[in-house]
Amino acid sequence: MSSVDPDPLSRLGVRGLEALVDDDTKKRQISIRHIAPKESINTLKDAFNRHLHYTMAKDRNEASDWHLYMALAHTVKDTLVSRWIRTQQHYYKKDPKRVYYISLEFYMGRTLTNTMVNLDIQPACEGTMRKLGLDMEELENSEEDAGLGNGGLGRLAACLMDSMATLGMAAYGYGIRYDYGIFEQKIKGGWQVEEPDEWLRYGNPWEHARPEFTIPVHYYGNIEHNEQGSKWVNTQVVQAIPYDTPIPGFRNNTVNTMRLWSAKASDSFNLNFFNNGEYLKAVYDRNLAENISRVLYPNDNVFEGRELRLKQEYFLVSASLQDIIRRYKSPKRGGAHGFRNSFSIFSQKVALQLNDTHPSLAIPELMRLLLDENGLAWENAWEIVQNTCAYTNHTILPEALERWSTQLLEKVLPRHLQIIYIINHHFLDDVKQRYPGDEDRVRRMSIVEEEGEKRINMAHLSIVGSHAVNGVARIHSNLLKSKIFKDFYEMYPEKFHNITNGITPRRWLMVCNSSLTKIISNTIGTEWLTNLHFLRNLESFQTEERVIRLIIESKKENKRKLAAYLKQNGNFEVNPNSMFDVHVKRIHEYKRQLLNCLHIITLYNRIKANPDMEVVPRTVIIGGKAAPGYFMAKLIIKLVNNIAQVVNNDESIQDKLKVVFLQNYRVSLAEKVIPAADLSQQISTAGTEASGTGNMKFMLNGALTIGTLDGANVEMREEVGEENFFLFGMNETEVEDARPNYYPKKYYDEDPELKQALDQINNGFFSPEDQGLFRDIYNQLVFSDRYMLLADFRSYIECQKRVDELYCRPREWARVCLLNIAAAGKFSSDRTVTEYASKIWGVDPSDYKLPLPHVVSNDSH
Ligand code: D6G
């Protein structure tokens, strides 16, 4: 047998599924709005035509898809504006505690569809476009992704923004408006080539410049001491210009703000040159200051200690904190009379969440603002800082931990370095008092590291300066307490929390997977959209043939759509009846894309050795970006592409195995690929992936997971039951126990299939034009293997066999899919945000919620 047709229902076309779902909706009399009222269509049509004419200055005949998209985006944004203004006024009037999420990354992706869905105007907009003879999908695809993030950390920030608005919280995102987001990845000759992401080239219809709130940010200079204390003088000033993007909650009339800062040279920049008549040079040099917000650093899980990055981090925190203090002091704040110029209730009104240590200069900067600009005493200021700040750790990989050289800090931020030294002095006094004579502990815990080049350990600074520290999945939080921050946990056990990450079910199911959304809502109602725990109600349908059939058909429809995309955007022919085995995330050795490669090669060798064997046809889809300076990650991409060349061009393999490298993986592509996945690969070495959030997105979209006991996989398996999760490999303790005597070559010597695969990598089988091309990969794996791929190889291969066996039983597979969806409720970012609110921000979400009366917006008139 060369291929398995998992289900006779595959003969039904796309219409078949639509008909099945619609039929089902009618029969069960469930109201899911497909049809919009005629009046709203007419209103939207008028607004759209007006924007096309007046905003874009185009008529229908010469408008491109992009002009039409822009006209629609402006139309949709109009419906946000009144709600946005009302929400912000409401916050001033009621004066709740405000939550500020400070992050160097907000990986937002596209905005149009999400906004239509959250405002509940999608059917009306679709009706309008249909009436105008336009294809909504084409317009949606004209939108550039806002790629202001690298991976999970940045996308988490975006999901939390959606959830905070949905819960009605007075929340703000503060970040940087990079001119260039994460680079565009091209594949040329199998290699990654980076191209600049000029996402703002044609304008961004979702943002509003707010030059009236411009803020000066200082750098360099020196410190003057006088009776009043220390003064930072002779600084160079850069202006921070805010750009605001509205963040709508899900159908609750709340619209919050994400404020991103853009750098602008100040008028006085290089005044000397102007004065000396070097006018042109002075104008050209303004670029130097404006480079601060030029480009997102494209590293994931790696620290790069460059001056420009340090300036970015400070630019964000300084502008944001000055803005937060401006808002705190604003006379518009109701109920705050008498407190506006006192900081005594600051920490009752302000919560700052630091997304990793990237914004940890917020701690010395808030100290500086309170001490030097507002005249507070040290003890008073320190108490405020600690009560206000909280720190989320995102990784325990040592190369990712930020440790800034004191030499660089001394030059760029001399006053901050001084403040950090004082913080450390007080802190170490406490340590000494608590652990008298334990000099080694004092050295380990110091914020200032003295060995080698003198550095500031930003994680230590963040723990000391915050009232709460959290990891992002249970296993990760436990590792923080037992390993990297053990000393700190012993001293301040009450500071440490776990808050498992989550994803927004609106974007990651409702927006990206409409057929599954309809099936779920038809089956259990729509409450799951704002309380994902309701998905549990799906469990009782696991034996209902009707529901199982729909699940199978929905997945097939999504696979057909992805197959069409791959055909159009890369000329890959893939068989939608094959298993879609998907491994998409940043390329990194710890994420073990190479383990996946070893499996592919093993499958290939088996088919070659035994052409008549029964095979479950697979399409292995691998995608992700490598940091431009990460040699090994780039070589891994080349290897995947070369394996694809060999496998896909071998006629004897036919449809049994296909390998696709997905170019330029990003948020909008994730929305296409995740709903189409049968199998989700989450195979990092146990103890390395803090949480992962891709894993949750696949689960929610009905993919089964093959994974290790790492990050949130542990909790996903717990929720769904061990029998519904493909587990393999060593657990974290086994990894640690094995490490001291680990000798990878033993596995190579003892496992013939593994040896064959590694030899092929080494001997040019996949690189005939350059036989030694992949030798570094071979050497790494056989002689070092930091991430222990060889130790987990056999267990992984055996586990993949169990995957095949289940896939041959399509109804049983679909039942397990249903159970995975049913068990995904815990992984909503609504739950994540609710936990931050109660455990860290000191806010009860039910009191906190500020429901706004429903307004029928007349913005579109
Ligand atoms: C947003 C919405 C707008 C408001 C502005 C300033 O751009 O309505 O005026 O924020 O708000 P604060 O920064 O004063 O809160």
Side-chain angles (χ1 to χ4, degrees):
M1 185 172 80
S2 65
S3 78
V4 178
D5 181 4
D7 196 276
L9 283 172
S10 64
R11 289 187 297 276
L12 280 169
V14 176
R15 268 302 307 157
L17 174 65
E18 282 290 311
L20 268 176
V21 175
D22 287 345
D23 203 33
D24 200 55
T25 311
K26 266 184 238 141
K27 255 195 300 204
R28 297 166 64 77
Q29 299 192 310
I30 285 170
S31 92
I32 295 179
R33 234 170 309 169
H34 294 289
I35 315 285
K38 218 166 155 191
E39 316 81 77
S40 54
I41 291 187
N42 286 336
T43 313
L44 285 167
K45 196 175 112 219
D46 290 348
F48 176 86
N49 284 332
R50 210 173 44 244
H51 276 300
L52 189 60
H53 189 85
Y54 291 104
T55 312
M56 304 312 296
K58 284 280 168 187
D59 75 30
R60 269 295 293 277
N61 298 327
E62 40 165 15
S64 65
D65 276 352
W66 178 78
H67 294 113
L68 298 165
Y69 153 72
M70 287 292 274
L72 179 58
H74 281 289
T75 306
V76 169
K77 201 179 122 198
D78 286 351
T79 64
L80 280 172
V81 169
S82 290
R83 290 174 173 92
W84 194 13
I85 292 171
R86 282 167 46 83
T87 303
Q88 300 309 313
Q89 283 171 348
H90 192 70
Y91 291 161
Y92 271 119
K93 199 161 126 226
K94 296 280 170 174
D95 195 31
K97 185 168 187 177
R98 287 162 159 91
V99 171
Y100 296 104
Y101 199 80
I102 308 200
S103 178
L104 265 283
E105 302 186 15
F106 284 92
Y107 203 170
M108 304 300 280
R110 290 178 177 156
T111 296
L112 175 63
T113 314
N114 195 250
T115 307
M116 293 189 299
V117 162
N118 278 15
L119 294 176
D120 202 8
I121 57 170
Q122 194 186 23
C125 290
E126 270 170 6
T128 309
M129 293 301 104
R130 223 175 297 124
K131 206 163 170 192
L132 290 164
L134 297 172
D135 179 351
M136 181 66 112
E137 216 175 299
E138 277 172 24
L139 302 198
E140 286 167 338
N141 283 327
S142 298
E143 180 171 359
E144 295 266 357
D145 277 41
L148 309 185
N150 278 286
L153 175 149
R155 184 55 231 178
L156 178 75
C159 283
L160 297 186
M161 290 305 293
D162 181 83
S163 285
M164 290 189 290
T166 296
L167 287 163
M169 291 182 176
Y172 301 74
Y174 273 106
I176 294 181
R177 179 181 179 269
Y178 302 105
D179 297 340
Y180 297 89
I182 186 69
F183 62 84
E184 189 182 336
Q185 179 193 55
K186 294 264 167 69
I187 300 296
K188 291 185 180 161
W191 294 99
Q192 167 175 298
V193 175
E194 302 91 25
E195 290 187 3
D197 165 50
E198 289 185 74
W199 72 294
L200 294 168
R201 185 175 24 191
Y202 302 119
N204 172 8
W206 305 104
E207 69 181 10
H208 256 292
R210 295 285 186 209
E212 67 272 30
F213 296 118
T214 296
I215 283 175
V217 176
H218 298 252
Y219 295 97
Y220 307 111
N222 51 284
I223 298 160
E224 251 173 26
H225 300 277
N226 54 30
E227 304 85 69
Q228 279 87 49
S230 301
K231 214 169 157 215
W232 187 16
V233 294
N234 301 324
T235 55
Q236 291 181 24
V237 180
V238 177
Q239 302 295 340
I241 317 279
Y243 286 74
D244 289 356
T245 300
I247 306 288
F250 181 68
R251 300 180 185 175
N252 65 350
N253 284 317
T254 295
V255 180
N256 285 342
T257 302
M258 177 176 70
R259 176 161 284 183
L260 304 183
W261 301 102
S262 180
K264 189 111 189 56
S266 73
D267 291 344
S268 61
F269 189 81
N270 275 352
L271 212 53
N272 283 346
F273 283 129
F274 281 109
N275 292 343
N276 295 338
E278 292 183 71
Y279 169 73
L280 287 177
K281 178 162 175 37
V283 174
Y284 289 147
D285 280 359
R286 293 172 72 86
N287 265 336
L288 296 176
E290 292 167 9
N291 278 341
I292 289 173
S293 58
R294 194 75 68 211
V295 58
L296 166 76
Y297 274 85
N299 298 332
D300 189 62
N301 274 303
V302 193
F303 169 55
E304 191 166 308
R306 305 227 187 205
E307 180 168 332
L308 186 59
R309 169 70 178 194
L310 179 68
K311 286 165 94 173
Q312 288 186 338
E313 296 186 353
Y314 181 63
F315 180 70
L316 168 61
V317 302
S318 180
S320 304
L321 284 169
Q322 292 181 67
D323 199 40
I324 289 164
I325 291 173
R326 188 262 312 155
R327 190 175 292 115
Y328 175 80
K329 290 183 170 178
S330 167
K332 288 197 279 173
R333 257 181 65 215
H337 310 292
F339 286 109
R340 275 199 300 275
N341 291 316
S342 136
F343 283 87
S344 60
I345 61 164
F346 190 76
S347 61
Q348 291 164 43
K349 291 295 177 187
V350 173
L352 294 177
Q353 193 65 39
L354 310 180
N355 197 20
D356 214 312
T357 59
H358 313 153
S360 60
L361 286 166
I363 292 163
E365 172 65 358
L366 185 52
M367 282 303 283
R368 185 188 71 85
L369 291 168
L370 295 175
L371 297 169
D372 300 358
E373 309 281 323
N374 290 278
L376 269 69
W378 180 277
E379 287 71 25
N380 195 358
W382 183 238
E383 198 187 330
I384 291 170
V385 168
Q386 280 190 315
N387 289 337
T388 308
C389 294
Y391 155 54
T392 304
N393 171 281
H394 282 272
T395 180
I396 60 170
L397 290 187
E399 62 268 45
L401 301 176
E402 291 192 299
R403 293 149 72 243
W404 287 105
S405 104
T406 52
Q407 214 187 351
L408 184 62
L409 282 168
E410 172 92 67
K411 178 173 103 175
V412 181
L413 300 168
R415 176 67 179 135
H416 297 78
L417 182 62
Q418 193 182 49
I419 290 171
I420 292 169
Y421 283 146
I422 302 172
I423 293 172
N424 195 42
H425 180 81
H426 290 310
F427 166 63
L428 292 184
D429 276 352
D430 289 350
V431 178
K432 285 174 200 158
Q433 206 176 8
R434 178 78 196 270
Y435 304 97
D438 193 346
E439 280 309 310
D440 198 48
R441 183 183 293 260
V442 173
R443 183 193 52 76
R444 290 196 309 265
M445 294 182 81
S446 178
I447 295 168
V448 184
E449 295 180 349
E450 307 275 358
E451 300 93 56
E453 191 190 4
K454 203 167 163 187
R455 290 163 182 272
I456 302 302
N457 184 317
M458 304 308 271
H460 290 189
L461 174 65
S462 302
I463 299 171
V464 173
S466 298
H467 66 282
V469 178
N470 75 286
V472 289
R474 196 206 303 137
I475 181 179
H476 167 63
S477 299
N478 287 339
L479 286 170
L480 295 184
K481 295 193 279 190
S482 64
K483 297 250 155 71
I484 60 166
F485 302 145
K486 184 166 183 281
D487 294 325
F488 292 89
Y489 176 61
E490 282 169 11
M491 189 156 160
Y492 310 114
E494 69 293 343
K495 276 196 191 184
F496 284 77
H497 301 271
N498 172 57
I499 301 185
T500 301
N501 281 166
I503 56 172
T504 166
R506 273 74 64 183
R507 180 176 295 259
W508 295 111
L509 185 46
M510 199 182 184
V511 170
C512 72
N513 196 343
S514 58
S515 63
L516 184 57
T517 297
K518 280 186 206 167
I519 292 165
I520 295 172
S521 297
N522 284 357
T523 308
I524 60 165
T526 54
E527 287 95 333
W528 63 274
L529 285 165
T530 45
N531 184 347
L532 206 60
H533 292 293
F534 273 85
L535 289 178
R536 276 284 176 207
N537 293 336
L538 285 169
E539 273 179 3
S540 52
F541 293 86
Q542 60 179 298
T543 50
E544 266 209 32
E545 179 67 12
R546 177 187 65 81
V547 175
I548 296 297
R549 266 165 51 119
L550 289 168
I551 296 275
I552 292 173
E553 273 315 302
S554 154
K555 185 61 78 181
K556 278 209 182 133
E557 182 192 339
N558 293 335
K559 288 167 74 175
R560 278 189 288 261
K561 279 195 203 157
L562 181 63
Y565 173 89
L566 292 172
K567 176 89 186 90
Q568 218 183 0
N569 294 269
N571 214 14
F572 294 114
E573 286 279 0
V574 302
N575 172 12
N577 290 321
S578 63
M579 180 203 302
F580 280 16
D581 164 348
V582 183
H583 195 177
V584 284
K585 49 183 76 251
R586 287 296 289 245
I587 310 292
H588 204 299
E589 287 160 280
Y590 85 82
K591 295 175 188 277
R592 302 204 294 193
Q593 282 89 1
L594 285 174
L595 187 57
N596 191 353
C597 290
L598 292 172
H599 174 243
I600 299 168
I601 299 170
T602 304
L603 282 184
Y604 174 76
N605 289 338
R606 284 181 182 176
I607 301 169
K608 293 298 281 182
N610 189 356
D612 295 326
M613 73 187 271
E614 283 209 357
V615 173
V616 179
R618 276 197 196 227
T619 301
V620 185
I621 299 170
I622 300 179
K625 292 175 184 177
Y630 186 175
F631 165 77
M632 216 22 158
K634 292 177 119 175
L635 196 59
I636 292 169
I637 291 176
K638 174 66 175 160
L639 177 64
V640 174
N641 280 303
N642 281 24
I643 294 172
Q645 279 284 322
V646 170
V647 172
N648 301 348
N649 294 321
D650 187 331
E651 283 185 2
S652 68
I653 297 294
Q654 298 164 355
D655 255 5
K656 294 173 194 167
L657 181 61
K658 278 264 170 313
V659 182
V660 174
F661 186 86
L662 200 58
Q663 184 170 279
N664 203 29
Y665 180 63
R666 60 199 186 282
V667 175
S668 60
L669 193 46
E671 289 172 27
K672 296 186 194 339
V673 69
I674 292 171
D678 292 307
L679 183 67
S680 157
Q681 298 235 25
Q682 307 299 337
I683 62 175
S684 50
T685 318
T688 61
E689 187 77 274
S691 163
T693 48
N695 45 4
M696 302 167 183
K697 294 165 196 164
F698 283 99
M699 183 187 197
L700 185 61
N701 281 274
L704 306 195
T705 305
I706 183 166
T708 47
L709 281 179
D710 200 20
N713 293 356
V714 177
E715 291 158 73
M716 284 164 46
R717 180 167 172 267
E718 190 173 281
E719 291 296 305
V720 73
E722 58 183 59
E723 66 286 9
N724 300 312
F725 185 102
F726 294 107
L727 178 73
F728 75 95
M730 296 184 285
N731 64 27
E732 195 271 327
T733 322
E734 288 163 343
V735 166
E736 282 317 301
D737 290 349
R739 199 176 286 288
N741 299 311
Y742 186 52
Y743 181 57
K745 186 150 183 305
K746 177 172 107 52
Y747 293 95
Y748 167 86
D749 289 333
E750 290 175 3
D751 189 324
E753 281 192 313
L754 175 60
K755 180 172 188 307
Q756 183 185 6
L758 286 163
D759 286 343
Q760 286 167 319
I761 291 173
N762 190 33
N763 67 22
F765 183 84
F766 296 108
S767 53
E769 73 291 353
D770 180 359
Q771 306 230 329
L773 184 61
F774 299 122
R775 191 150 299 148
D776 286 334
I777 291 181
Y778 171 89
N779 285 333
Q780 277 283 340
L781 292 180
V782 177
F783 301 109
S784 159
D785 197 16
R786 175 175 168 199
Y787 297 107
M788 298 181 150
L789 283 72
L790 303 206
D792 277 349
F793 171 79
R794 188 44 53 189
S795 162
Y796 179 57
I797 299 290
E798 293 303 317
C799 190
Q800 287 282 18
K801 209 154 77 187
R802 299 203 301 278
V803 172
D804 281 344
E805 281 158 14
L806 187 63
Y807 198 73
C808 289
R809 296 158 57 210
R811 281 191 167 67
E812 183 56 12
W813 179 280
R815 188 182 71 83
V816 180
C817 286
L818 181 82
L819 293 179
N820 268 270
I821 300 165
K826 177 175 178 183
F827 305 104
S828 168
S829 46
D830 300 343
R831 188 268 313 146
T832 308
V833 158
T834 307
E835 287 189 28
Y836 276 99
S838 62
K839 295 186 191 174
I840 295 183
W841 302 330
V843 150
D844 177 347
S846 56
D847 302 347
Y848 195 69
K849 195 169 174 181
L850 299 165
L852 293 164
H854 183 71
V855 268
V856 181
S857 170
N858 58 1
D859 282 342
S860 300
H861 291 265

